[in-house]
Amino acid sequence: MKIGVVAASSRFPRDLADRLMAQVAARGDGIEVVFHPDSFLEHGHFAGEDAVRARAVLDFANDPGLDAVWFGRGGYGACRIAEAVMAGVTPAARDKIYLGYSDAGSLLAGFYRMGFPRLAHGPMVGDLNREGGAAAIERALDWLATGTASALDPNLDDRPTVAFNITILSALLGTALEPDLSDHVVLLEDVSEPLYRLDRTLFHITSQPAMRRIAGFRLGRVSDIVPNDPDFGQTPEQIVRDWCDRSGIAFLGSADIGHDAGNKIVPFGRRRVASKPR
């Protein structure tokens, strides 16, 4: 299997690439990983200018020699290039697996709207910087290479499923990237937000007519919460349950996803395995 890593959002340090390559080599299972050379560019906050990042994603998406595109890290920036990427993909792009989460959700959403069949919310190379991050990388590589079920969120059932960062999902609604999530179980997670902002974002999400057609929400981990002053008075689960009650959307329980090394893989749709390597 040949996997292409690309930085679609924030800056990506070279040392992470070196650490990943060493971990892949230690596996000795024939997986080949290549980094797009533009992944290490810097332009303010971003891994290169918007047009450069869009071109890099398209270079790998449209490359028939790659089996998968793995997003290097999140941060911010994918929404700035997503429409250009959607406009530039060729039929070869549909054959690949795409893996990422957080800010990469903008691209996953657009691809899902276009009917791409092999998309998944799951660990990225940047997770090597987290405590226990090497285990997250092993989980991602195992799933990409063999489709191992142990890498998946254990709460998945036979219903179509997607997973998004709460803030990213809210930003996607009403845009050209928004997919039809009717009858889907929608898994949510978030990081580094105050609870009042989480509450406001859930108001926006659950107020959308399209979101009221989903099967329901599952809530993953909401971590590194920015303190409220005064205390907000509700937990993240209580906030989500409250907005589910107000909107008539079902709350379906927990999800094993989040901005941490324990983040499990959630394939989009009903597909639960990656395609077999060539």
Side-chain angles (χ1 to χ4, degrees), residues 30-177:
I31 293 177
E32 181 183 358
V33 174
V34 294
F35 281 80
H36 195 286
D38 289 347
S39 297
F40 310 108
L41 298 178
E42 297 181 359
H43 181 74
H45 173 93
F46 307 105
E49 297 179 357
D50 290 349
V52 172
R53 299 196 320 282
R55 183 185 66 219
V57 173
L58 287 170
D59 283 347
F60 274 8
N62 294 333
D63 184 345
L66 294 176
D67 299 296
V69 173
W70 196 7
F71 297 108
R73 61 160 297 184
Y76 173 69
C79 67
R80 294 167 60 104
I81 66 171
E83 288 192 63
V85 170
M86 301 307 128
V89 291
T90 66
R94 292 180 177 270
D95 294 334
K96 294 179 179 58
I97 309 163
Y98 295 83
L99 180 63
Y101 73 108
S102 190
D103 192 58
S106 296
L107 293 166
L108 296 177
F111 287 145
Y112 196 54
R113 179 185 175 108
M114 295 179 68
F116 280 38
R118 300 179 182 89
L119 312 168
H121 175 288
M124 296 183 288
V125 181
D127 289 321
L128 275 171
N129 275 339
R130 302 188 189 280
E131 183 177 354
I137 297 303
E138 289 298 309
R139 184 182 312 118
L141 292 171
D142 286 346
W143 183 77
L144 285 167
T146 67
T148 177
S150 62
L152 303 180
D153 185 308
N155 301 293
L156 302 179
D157 55 31
D158 60 353
R159 291 175 290 188
T161 306
V162 293
F164 288 104
N165 174 273
I166 294 171
T167 302
I168 298 299
L169 176 60
S170 179
L172 292 171
L173 298 179
T175 73
L177 304 174

